[in-house]
Structure formats: structure tokens, C-alpha cells
Amino acid sequence: MFGTPAQEAAVREVVADAGKYQSDPEHFLPLHTPDVEIVNFGGRRVAGREALGEAMRAALASPLAEVATTVEITGVRFPREGVAVVAAVKRVHDARKEPDGVGPALPATSGQLTYLLVEEADGAWRISLAQTTPTTF
């Protein structure tokens, strides 16, 4: 396998920063490649950093701003030079309520998250793909 301890630490830092800046587009968006693809918890696909920024700003201006997530990395592997695959569990903390005022509005509170990160020419690791699949456990 490819990847050094320093590269793994850098990848873990990018994932941590993505969580830290989930409500801060100015810091969140540069963590992603220009051609990033995201499939979010609800199944919405967003292609490109510009579109991600638009979607993020719209979400933060809506009740979705009351939804926060935490990510626990369960594994990092380097299938080839300059590519990292991160397996993680995403936990959703939904402060919104159903229209009847009872319970969270999302159908699940956790999901399996896979990140694909690439090491770019400037040496920085950036998220190129993220896919979250809701789970019921």
C-alpha cells in the first residue's frame, strides 16, 4: 500500500477540518477539488466546488442550518500514490422538528461516509468525492 504516516495525518486533518468548517463556506470549500462530487445524506448529488458553495449557502440560509454532523474515521487506505480512501461513520444532530413538533426531521441519525481524497500538485490533500449512505443502526 502507498501512503506514509505523514500523509495519513494530513488526510485525517482534512476530514477533521471538513467537520470543523461545515457551516463556514469560506474555509470548507477550499478543502475540495474544483471538480468535487458530493452525494449528501439525503441523496442529493452536487457536482463541482462552485455548485457545492451554492448548495451550502442555500442550506445555511434555511432550517438545514440547524443540522450538524460529526464524523468518526474508521479507516484510511492509500490504494495508489496520491489517492486516499477514507471510511467513516457520520452522525447527524438534527435540531429541527417534524411539522407536528415531535422528533427529528431526518429518517436516520447516522450514515456510512466514504471520502476519496487526492494529493494535488501543491502537496495539499483535497476531497474529490464524498458519499453518505444513511443507516438505521
Side-chain angles (χ1 to χ4, degrees):
M1 282 290 166
F2 301 92
T4 66
Q7 288 174 315
E8 182 171 340
V11 165
R12 286 178 177 273
E13 183 176 357
V14 171
V15 172
D17 284 349
K20 179 180 175 181
Y21 297 122
Q22 65 185 288
S23 297
D24 180 353
E26 181 180 336
H27 290 96
F28 182 81
L29 294 170
L31 300 172
H32 299 78
T33 62
D35 62 347
V36 65
E37 292 230 6
I38 304 285
V39 180
N40 70 11
F41 196 81
R44 179 178 178 198
R45 178 179 298 278
V46 179
R49 189 166 48 200
E50 186 175 317
L52 177 59
E54 291 170 12
M56 186 177 186
R57 287 179 184 91
L60 290 170
S62 78
L64 286 173
E66 296 182 50
V67 178
T69 62
T70 55
V71 173
E72 175 189 345
I73 295 175
T74 58
V76 177
R77 63 187 179 89
F78 296 87
R80 60 180 37 132
E81 189 67 38
V83 176
V85 177
V86 177
V89 175
K90 178 181 273 191
R91 298 203 191 329
V92 179
H93 311 280
D94 190 350
R96 302 170 304 159
K97 298 291 182 185
E98 291 282 353
D100 64 6
V102 180
L106 292 175
T109 58
S110 66
Q112 298 299 309
L113 170 61
T114 303
Y115 279 119
L116 176 71
L117 286 86
V118 294
E119 188 175 25
E120 297 202 304
D122 64 0
W125 286 89
R126 290 193 177 85
I127 298 166
S128 179
L129 179 108
Q131 163 76 49
T132 305
T133 303
T135 55
T136 56
F137 52 88

